[in-house]
Amino acid sequence: MNKEIFGVFGDRDEFEQFRTAHEFDDIVTSDVATVGIRDTGLGIPGRSASYSGEDGSCIIWGEAYPNKRGWSEPAHWLLEQYKKKEKTPSRHSTDPTSRLSNARAMQ
């Protein structure tokens, strides 16, 4: 089984300067990068997964075992989890104002 992940920083035209789209099972494009995935297991639960939508793009390469709610679309689920974490200030943030708001929230 030939599996491959290949990407470039840029749009699909830049991607196709190096590779052709028909070499891959899926191509995910964002405003930063374009990535092609070739994996016969793409879309099979527990295997590589991809998602691209208005809320962003995500690729899981290899084995993927999210919680039960994420089984049907693990890449979309992972992107949602990332966005939730991104909105929640971290206790380990280097931004001093976020430390203050975290300290208040913990009191």
Side-chain angles (χ1 to χ4, degrees), residues 23-35:
E23 295 177 66
F24 298 93
D25 297 312
D26 192 18
I27 304 241
V28 176
T29 302
S30 74
D31 53 346
V32 176
T34 303
V35 178

Side-chain angles (χ1 to χ4, degrees), residues 95-105:
D95 176 13
T97 59
S98 72
R99 286 185 191 162
L100 290 174
S101 60
N102 281 339
R104 283 187 210 124

Side-chain angles (χ1 to χ4, degrees), residues 63-77:
E63 296 180 351
Y65 296 98
N67 70 17
K68 290 182 181 178
R69 285 177 284 163
W71 272 113
S72 63
E73 295 184 47
H76 190 198
W77 176 85

Side-chain angles (χ1 to χ4, degrees), residues 65-101:
Y65 296 98
N67 70 17
K68 290 182 181 178
R69 285 177 284 163
W71 272 113
S72 63
E73 295 184 47
H76 190 198
W77 176 85
L78 182 60
L79 180 63
E80 288 174 340
Q81 300 310 302
Y82 174 78
K83 288 191 172 280
K84 285 179 190 175
K85 285 272 191 192
E86 190 176 66
K87 290 178 184 176
T88 306
S90 169
R91 292 189 303 160
H92 306 290
S93 174
T94 57
D95 176 13
T97 59
S98 72
R99 286 185 191 162
L100 290 174
S101 60

